[in-house]
Amino acid sequence: MRRLPAVRLVHAALLVAIALGTALQLAAWHRDGRATPLDRVENALLDLRFHLAGPQAAPDPVVIVGIDDAAIAEAGGFPVPRAALARLVRAIHDRNPRALGIDLLLLDPRQPEDDAALGAALAEARAVLAGAAVFPQGPEGVARSEGARLPAAERVLRPHDRFGTGTGFGLTNIAADHNGTPRHLPLLVADNGNLLPSLPLRLAAQASGAEPILRPDRITIGPAVSRLDLGLSIPFRFYGPRGTLRTISAAALLRGERTADLVGGRVVLVGTTAFGTGDTYATPYDPVLPGVEVLATGLAHLLSGDGLVRGEAQRRIDAAAALVLALGSALLLVLAPPAVAVGLIGLLALAWVAATVAAFSQGFWLATALPLAAMVPVIGFGLGGRLVLDRRDADAHARAERALRAFHPPRLAARLAADPGFLAEPLVQRAAILFLDLAGFTGVSERLGPLRTQSLLKGFHALVEARISRHGGLVVTFMGDGAMCVFGLADPSPDDARRALAAALDLVPAIRAWLAGEPAFGGRGDLRVGVHDGTVVVSRLGASDHQQITATGDSVNLASRLMEVGKGLGAALVVSDDLLAAAGPESVAAAGFEGRRTVSIRGREQKLTVAFRWCNRDAATTAANP
């Protein structure tokens, strides 16, 4: 594995620290049940899971007797008169239900005769009556009892004493989210040292004929076992829209209809279902689900054990997922390229979302929002840091490339920057080689001294670089007042010879004009240019940590010797027949050479035919009469 630079190690360490800190803090709040803005996101995602799963069949043992519009008309108004309510209770009791609950607050006295009749009917049916707890605002509304965080009531609204004999009592409070959607059914509420049961709990226990066995993570009522969340509460798993739970109209019972026989042997819950009564809640399947159906849903969970499972084990899984996803995101952002890291992080997030959807289909509520939220600061800091560090590295690379360009021809420097392995192995190829040298420069440099000579050479080198680059060549090296140039080193081309010849024809008059304008030469400066085309070896020369890219071989030596030939002929430009053949007849005709000679080359046995141009007056005569 490659070693990371120190600044990237610091970034990686900070990223891991952010991942750990964020995941652990969110997990701590989650396990403690603390309300956070994430709850809104989680509830929305939970509703989406309800829609994906779709409605399901409701348990058979629970029946709702709804006080709907027909029942209100049959009873003679709303609130339902106590006399009519007494008849309704007797009608239900006569059909032998397993248990009867009344989701109506009977708080105040009315006509004594009617209240007495209702009290007698409720006592005979051993009905469980509804009460309601009023909670204070703030954290004092949560109390610790028997190791559980229970809601603590400020006061309790109880049924009037006229209905207390022979009846049971349970609270109808539910825990809803910020949108008013019921999420949990609290089973117990603390009230001045006492524990008050919920109406569904009291009714389920009576229907089962068994005392509930309550533990911190579960409640057992007869054969049914329900998993509990924080505060000894059951998460709601809604069955569907209004009417999914078996519901019959109270009017049918008041009129003695046969359909009312559906209550026999079942647990009956009486409550208001009429529109406009205000006792409704928004749920994932229905925006106006009656409150009695919400309580009946909790009752069905207790009797069948089919509520959502969300407890300490699920919250630990949520915390572990937050830690894994946050740390996984951090490692990906450190080790992988940003685009790859973002793609893999997206896959991680989708995998967790898919896992929560699959778990929900099996009745388990795993948090979707918490692990995803733990990834957010990691992604933000990780990508931001990577962008800053990558920009820093890019700037450093750009500076290095600019420095490289200062020591290499621009095209060669660009090639090396794009392909650092360029010429790792030598290449044998054809190329055109151009050598040039200033005549009489030694005396000039002696007169000028080193500083003025360096300044003079700088202008000369800039001129050569510009003219060679214009024609697509590379100045491989400057040798004081001379230069070696190659056409076709980085990218060989069939017209390398033509471009080398064009560059030579451009260089000679340009450098002569420059020499004429330099007082140091006193009008006597001149140059020699030799150009040849042939096979060369292009390679890196030098040690492994200090290399130079150049061309070598006999063709290079021959091009260099052509400057000596030019000196003997008094010509500024000498080119080989090999170059002329490669450049083509059109280029040769346009060059306007002044003569051709077959000459001897120092160090070579075989003579060479050359063409030359820009001879001085004496040399021209010699060249014409060899």
Side-chain angles (χ1 to χ4, degrees):
M1 181 181 293
R2 62 185 179 88
R3 293 185 61 186
L4 296 175
V7 65
R8 289 190 178 267
L9 284 174
V10 172
H11 175 248
L14 289 175
L15 199 54
V16 171
I18 289 173
L20 285 172
T22 303
L24 293 176
Q25 183 62 72
L26 290 176
W29 289 342
H30 182 57
R31 293 185 63 183
D32 196 44
R34 182 176 301 186
T36 69
L38 283 180
D39 294 338
R40 297 184 175 224
V41 180
E42 178 62 28
N43 291 332
L45 294 173
L46 180 63
D47 289 347
L48 178 61
R49 279 170 275 180
F50 271 111
H51 287 293
L52 291 174
Q56 59 180 349
D60 184 66
V62 177
V63 173
I64 299 171
V65 173
I67 299 177
D68 54 13
D69 294 335
I72 291 173
E74 182 71 25
F78 187 83
V80 176
R82 297 280 169 83
L85 191 56
R87 288 195 296 117
L88 176 63
V89 171
R90 289 195 182 93
I92 295 172
H93 178 61
D94 289 344
R95 287 165 172 79
N96 299 314
R98 287 171 58 189
L100 172 62
I102 306 297
D103 181 25
L104 299 170
L105 292 177
L106 305 174
L107 304 179
D108 55 327
R110 295 184 188 171
Q111 294 293 331
E113 297 83 359
D114 294 344
D115 287 349
L118 177 58
L122 292 172
E124 185 180 357
R126 297 177 60 238
V128 178
L129 306 185
V134 179
F135 298 100
Q137 299 295 321
E140 62 273 15
V142 176
R144 285 196 175 274
S145 177
E146 298 181 2
R149 294 175 61 85
L150 299 179
E154 185 176 65
R155 59 192 178 95
V156 176
L157 304 178
R158 300 172 182 269
H160 193 268
D161 292 342
R162 290 182 178 179
F163 313 110
T165 303
T167 59
F169 161 70
L171 300 176
T172 58
N173 299 85
I174 61 171
D177 64 17
H178 66 285
N179 286 325
T181 299
R183 296 298 178 188
H184 289 81
L185 172 67
L187 297 183
L188 296 173
V189 172
D191 176 39
N192 295 322
N194 298 317
L195 297 180
L196 303 181
S198 68
L199 177 63
L201 174 59
R202 187 69 177 267
L203 196 56
Q206 182 173 318
S208 300
E211 287 295 322
I213 301 173
L214 188 62
R215 296 179 181 176
D217 64 337
R218 72 187 67 187
I219 184 170
T220 303
I221 303 177
V225 179
S226 297
R227 300 285 181 174
L228 300 181
D229 200 0
L230 300 177
L232 300 182
S233 62
I234 292 180
F236 284 111
R237 187 182 187 185
F238 297 102
Y239 300 107
R242 169 193 289 254
T244 301
L245 280 161
R246 186 190 302 273
T247 303
I248 63 174
S249 173
L253 285 161
L254 291 173
R255 290 194 294 262
E257 297 178 0
R258 291 178 59 87
T259 55
D261 292 337
L262 294 173
V263 303
R266 293 182 172 88
V267 184
V268 178
L269 190 59
V270 178
T272 303
T273 59
F275 286 101
T277 58
D279 185 22
T280 60
Y281 294 90
T283 68
Y285 298 124
D286 197 323
V288 286
L289 190 72
V292 65
E293 194 158 349
V294 175
L295 290 175
T297 300
L299 173 62
H301 293 339
L302 289 169
L303 291 172
S304 61
D306 65 349
L308 273 179
V309 179
R310 191 193 202 197
E312 184 66 23
Q314 285 68 47
R315 290 177 184 268
R316 283 198 297 267
I317 293 173
D318 297 340
L323 193 60
V324 170
L325 265 63
L327 285 176
S329 300
L331 293 177
L332 287 172
L333 288 168
V334 169
L335 300 176
V340 175
V342 170
L344 292 176
I345 289 171
L347 290 177
L348 280 177
L350 287 176
W352 176 247
V353 172
T356 62
V357 172
F360 186 85
S361 68
Q362 301 300 314
F364 294 91
W365 178 2
L366 297 178
T368 302
L370 175 75
L372 300 184
M375 302 169 73
V376 172
V378 177
I379 295 172
F381 182 80
L383 284 180
R386 281 294 296 269
L387 289 175
V388 171
L389 293 176
D390 289 349
R391 176 61 61 86
R392 176 179 172 272
D393 288 347
D395 291 343
H397 291 156
R399 289 193 298 271
E401 185 174 344
R402 287 194 295 270
L404 186 65
R405 290 179 185 275
F407 293 96
H408 289 283
R411 289 179 60 202
L412 183 56
R415 179 63 181 273
L416 289 171
D419 180 13
F422 176 57
L423 292 180
E425 297 293 333
L427 294 178
V428 178
Q429 65 180 61
R430 196 167 187 87
I433 304 97
L434 183 151
F435 276 90
L436 64 91
D437 187 25
L438 294 179
F441 185 75
T442 302
V444 172
S445 62
E446 183 180 6
R447 291 194 305 273
L448 294 179
L451 291 179
R452 292 179 62 194
T453 298
Q454 193 273 339
S455 178
L456 184 67
L457 286 175
K458 195 171 184 179
F460 168 66
H461 293 163
L463 175 60
V464 173
E465 179 71 52
R467 299 290 169 152
I468 293 297
S469 297
R470 177 187 299 176
H471 295 280
L474 300 177
V475 180
V476 174
T477 183
F478 285 106
M479 299 163 289
D481 61 329
M484 172 185 171
C485 310
V486 180
F487 292 79
L489 186 149
D491 299 294
S493 171
D495 65 344
D496 289 334
R498 180 190 61 77
R499 292 187 290 108
L501 179 57
L505 295 173
D506 189 14
L507 268 173
V508 174
I511 293 178
R512 279 185 167 177
W514 174 76
L515 289 170
E518 285 291 342
F521 288 91
R524 296 188 298 275
D526 205 355
L527 75 159
R528 303 282 182 261
V529 179
V531 192
H532 176 62
D533 181 86
T535 301
V536 298
V537 178
V538 181
S539 63
R540 299 185 180 194
L541 297 181
S544 59
D545 59 348
H546 182 200
Q547 296 180 335
Q548 176 185 2
I549 292 178
T550 188
T552 57
D554 183 62
S555 295
V556 177
N557 296 332
L558 183 56
S560 176
R561 294 288 188 265
L562 291 180
M563 292 189 297
E564 297 179 6
V565 174
K567 182 178 181 181
L569 294 174
L573 172 63
V574 178
V575 301
S576 68
D577 261 7
D578 291 334
L579 181 118
L580 296 178
E586 293 183 2
S587 298
V588 174
F593 287 107
E594 298 170 8
R596 299 170 77 93
R597 290 282 297 272
T598 300
V599 298
S600 298
I601 304 297
R602 180 169 60 87
R604 289 175 59 91
E605 295 182 0
Q606 188 176 1
K607 292 187 177 183
L608 181 70
T609 300
V610 299
F612 50 88
R613 188 178 174 187
W614 285 300
C615 300
N616 57 43
R617 188 178 306 168
D618 297 336
T621 302
T622 303
N625 302 287

